[in-house]
Amino acid sequence: MAAKPKLWYFCGRGRMESIRWLLAAAGVEFEEEFLETREQHEKLQKDGRLLFGQVPLVEIDGMELTQTRAILSYLATKYNLHGKDLKETVRINMYAEGTLDLMMMVAVAAFKPPEEKEESLALVVKKAKTQHFPVFEKILKDHGEDFLVGNKFSWADIQLLEAILMVEELDASVLSDFPLLKEFKTRISNIPTIKKFLQPGSQRKPPPDSHYVEIVRNVLQL
Amino acid sequence: MAGKPKLHYFNGRGRMECIRWLLAAAGVEFEEKFIEQPEDLDKLKSDGSLMFQQVPLVEIDGMKLVQTRAILNYVATKYNLYGKDMKERALIDMYSEGVADLGDMIMLLPLCPPDQKDAKIAQIKETTTNRYLPAFEKVLKSHGQDYLVGNKLSKADIHLVELLYYVEEVDPSLLANFPLLKGLKTRVSNLPAVKKFLQPGSQRKPPMDEKNLEEAKRIFRIK
């Protein structure tokens, strides 16, 4: 019986959150080790566990995987959330890359000086409203199905829900012009594994605050 | 019979070059439609060809694919350059992502303000020598095989060798202490399809010069 996957990262969203979402949605229990000191990070590096000296690190199936997308892709395939054939997989990848780009902008904004940060976050909301959400609304409208790809729950749906909730934290009205996305949000949120992950006390992490930024800066010597 | 893949981008490396390398290495002939004016890009946006309003765009197998990684992974799978199973694919992805991280730093160098450029180049040299090249050299040393994963050519080898050419363009001495990487570079460069791509007159694009940079800025409306 395989051990639980183990996640090494800071106690916050950053580049690990999409991985937490994917595992949780797949109903996979996982452990977490939180980096709080420079020494912990240096030890991981010295022990040769970080291929490029960086977290996220996920220990799974006897491998020490780093690089966010490598991890996400592995998990999506492992838990049957990556489409039934190559054409479905490429669509899932396209959609996931789009939402990942958007969410990375939010993660990176936390580390900017206040004025730049506000500007960056405003740009995220704008991009979501004008680029990303209209695209996904149209996809849902065109096929009329419950899920983005192949009438089946996939990694693309999980990413989109995560992105919707993240942008709503910045602007609660962001879905006002997107009725199908509103329904999508409700539908996906009610999937039992996801519903559980959305409850207080789960391993889902809160938005980055100044305390989180300070810890990361300290550990990574930024 | 499917038509050749068609690549839409400006006439330069940017985010399309790794796709050109991969197709070329796979022995796949492809067409290119160069975006030459901002209006060309506007047209692609308005006719709904660009899912997220961005290029690269590759028309292949009846699809309009965007997002560099989605395109690369599709091509790699189709042409058997993605390992034999999930675990090999995970390693290939990990290595490819590392290549992309360093590759992006080098790619964005021309956009760096002149007063910050020297510092940026120093940073790139440092991370190349201390982080990235040692990691890949170690992988090759650990198994002693000709290719990074599964003793077989994969997208990881192609992306890495492409990167090694760019590292040399930054500073040829950076590869000095990495014999296995030099070996990989030679080996992959000598594969017939790659050798052909490396000849003058192929679809491989040259380093960005001032003119190319101005063109890119104009087309993508970057200040």
Side-chain angles (χ1 to χ4, degrees):
Chain A
M1 178 73 192
K4 293 181 193 175
K6 193 170 190 179
L7 279 48
W8 293 77
Y9 201 65
F10 315 100
C11 187
R13 291 180 180 176
R15 294 179 185 280
M16 187 62 98
E17 193 71 352
S18 291
I19 294 167
R20 295 183 185 108
W21 267 86
L22 185 44
L23 285 166
V28 177
E29 283 181 30
F30 57 93
E31 291 173 2
E32 299 196 77
E33 286 274 353
F34 297 121
L35 293 182
E36 282 154 357
T37 67
R38 214 169 282 187
E39 291 70 35
Q40 277 175 295
H41 191 243
E42 280 171 0
K43 184 169 193 307
L44 280 178
Q45 289 173 320
K46 281 201 191 98
D47 290 349
R49 304 177 67 183
L50 306 178
L51 181 62
F52 301 110
Q54 297 167 318
V55 286
L57 165 66
V58 173
E59 296 177 75
I60 185 168
D61 297 337
M63 295 181 294
E64 293 189 317
L65 287 186
T66 57
Q67 292 292 344
T68 309
R69 287 170 172 93
I71 297 163
L72 287 168
S73 193
Y74 182 80
L75 295 175
T77 303
K78 185 181 162 109
Y79 298 112
N80 295 309
L81 294 164
H82 218 171
K84 72 177 197 298
D85 57 30
L86 183 53
K87 286 208 168 188
E88 284 195 355
T89 303
V90 75
R91 279 165 58 207
I92 290 167
N93 285 344
M94 265 199 300
Y95 304 166
E97 283 292 317
T99 47
L100 207 51
D101 276 353
L102 197 62
M103 292 193 280
M104 273 301 111
M105 283 176 70
V106 177
V108 161
F111 292 84
K112 295 188 171 175
E115 251 178 56
E116 272 187 60
K117 178 181 168 179
E118 259 191 64
E119 221 182 285
S120 291
L121 294 178
L123 184 57
V124 169
V125 174
K126 184 176 174 203
K127 280 197 164 195
K129 278 186 177 169
T130 59
Q131 271 184 25
H132 296 78
F133 293 170
V135 168
F136 292 117
E137 181 82 5
K138 182 171 192 290
I139 287 167
L140 291 171
K141 187 171 184 192
D142 285 350
H143 60 46
E145 291 163 6
D146 282 355
F147 306 106
L148 286 169
V149 179
N151 207 13
K152 185 171 179 270
F153 182 56
S154 79
W155 174 35
D157 302 299
I158 301 165
Q159 286 270 131
L160 180 54
L161 176 62
E162 185 192 353
I164 286 171
L165 295 179
M166 196 178 281
V167 180
E168 275 188 335
E169 283 169 351
L170 302 173
D171 176 351
S173 72
V174 78
L175 286 191
S176 53
D177 295 333
F178 306 109
L180 294 179
L181 286 182
K182 274 195 230 167
E183 285 173 22
F184 175 87
K185 177 190 157 194
T186 307
R187 188 166 53 246
I188 308 300
S189 300
N190 280 323
I191 292 174
T193 49
I194 295 184
K195 192 168 187 169
K196 193 171 161 197
F197 188 60
L198 289 172
Q199 317 259 274
S202 81
Q203 285 161 298
R204 187 178 175 217
K205 301 297 174 279
D209 59 13
S210 53
H211 177 62
Y212 170 75
V213 169
E214 208 185 302
I215 291 181
V216 175
R217 283 214 163 106
N218 184 40
V219 171
L220 296 182
Q221 299 174 64
L222 294 174
Chain B
M1 176 73 192
K4 293 180 193 174
K6 194 172 189 178
L7 279 50
H8 296 257
Y9 204 63
F10 87 104
N11 190 358
R13 289 178 178 174
R15 295 192 178 285
M16 186 63 97
E17 192 71 354
C18 56
I19 296 169
R20 297 182 183 111
W21 266 81
L22 188 57
L23 285 167
V28 178
E29 283 181 30
F30 57 92
E31 289 172 5
E32 299 196 80
K33 184 128 199 278
F34 295 121
I35 297 166
E36 281 158 351
Q37 305 297 338
E39 294 72 35
D40 299 335
L41 185 56
D42 290 340
K43 183 165 189 303
L44 281 175
K45 287 181 186 181
S46 63
D47 69 18
S49 295
L50 305 179
M51 172 168 281
F52 300 111
Q53 307 301 302
Q54 296 168 319
V55 283
L57 164 68
V58 173
E59 297 182 77
I60 184 170
D61 298 337
M63 297 180 292
K64 288 186 171 175
L65 296 186
V66 297
Q67 293 291 344
T68 309
R69 286 167 171 94
I71 297 164
L72 289 170
N73 295 351
Y74 181 83
V75 170
T77 305
K78 185 171 172 169
Y79 297 105
N80 295 310
L81 291 164
Y82 217 173
K84 71 177 198 296
D85 57 32
M86 269 175 64
K87 285 199 169 189
E88 284 196 354
R89 203 191 70 186
L91 293 179
I92 290 167
D93 279 343
M94 216 178 10
Y95 303 159
S96 300
E97 287 295 306
V99 169
D101 282 350
L102 180 57
D104 277 358
M105 285 184 228
I106 295 176
M107 179 184 60
L108 294 172
L109 203 44
L111 289 175
C112 191
D115 58 341
Q116 289 172 31
K117 213 159 196 175
D118 284 345
K120 198 77 206 165
I121 292 175
Q123 193 189 32
I124 287 173
K125 288 188 189 184
E126 195 272 332
T127 200
T128 298
T129 316
N130 295 330
R131 168 168 282 176
Y132 291 98
L133 296 191
F136 293 118
E137 183 82 3
K138 189 176 171 193
V139 169
L140 290 172
K141 189 165 187 193
S142 72
H143 54 52
Q145 291 168 357
D146 279 355
Y147 300 107
L148 287 166
V149 179
N151 207 13
K152 186 173 180 269
L153 180 74
S154 76
K155 78 192 276 288
D157 303 293
I158 298 161
H159 296 325
L160 178 54
V161 168
E162 180 193 353
L163 178 67
L164 294 178
Y165 276 96
Y166 302 154
V167 165
E168 271 189 338
E169 283 173 2
V170 171
D171 179 350
S173 74
L174 290 171
L175 288 187
N177 297 323
F178 301 100
L180 298 179
L181 289 180
K182 280 196 262 189
L184 179 73
K185 181 171 176 270
T186 303
R187 193 157 46 246
V188 171
S189 299
N190 281 327
L191 295 171
V194 179
K195 193 168 189 172
K196 193 171 161 196
F197 188 61
L198 289 169
Q199 319 261 274
S202 81
Q203 286 159 302
R204 187 167 71 118
K205 303 296 175 272
M208 187 166 246
D209 58 15
E210 268 308 311
K211 186 164 168 243
N212 201 233
L213 176 60
E214 285 315 308
E215 193 191 350
K217 279 180 168 177
R218 191 172 47 83
I219 291 169
F220 294 111
R221 296 197 170 103
I222 303 169
K223 295 204 186 100

